Amino acid sequence: MDWLAAYNGVLVRVGLYLFVFWPTVGYYVYRDATKRELSAPMLRGVAYGVFGIVGLVVYVVRNEN
């Protein structure tokens, strides 16, 4: 299991980050964009989800009306 410890576990941390935050943030953005009837809610969910918590903060600040 040397690949788990490669680069001080960076691969595992990035993988877990994407596994946990991408779907969570992506689903929130998708659901909110659908509720607000914004264009391309699926694309918005995927795009903002990639950035995780930062993407969520940017989405909420941009859509604060």
Side-chain angles (χ1 to χ4, degrees):
M1 294 278 182
D2 288 333
W3 62 274
L4 289 176
Y7 304 110
N8 292 327
V10 169
L11 297 176
V12 173
R13 285 185 290 206
V14 169
L16 285 174
Y17 177 80
L18 289 175
F19 182 72
V20 172
F21 289 114
W22 189 350
T24 305
V25 172
Y27 180 70
Y28 172 79
V29 171
Y30 168 75
R31 188 179 57 179
D32 188 60
T34 302
K35 185 172 64 174
R36 294 178 187 223
E37 297 180 357
L38 300 174
S39 64
M42 181 72 75
L43 181 61
R44 287 174 189 266
V46 170
Y48 284 105
V50 168
F51 297 106
I53 300 300
V54 175
L56 180 62
V57 169
V58 169
Y59 177 78
V60 169
V61 169
R62 288 189 66 199
N63 290 310
E64 204 173 74
N65 290 348

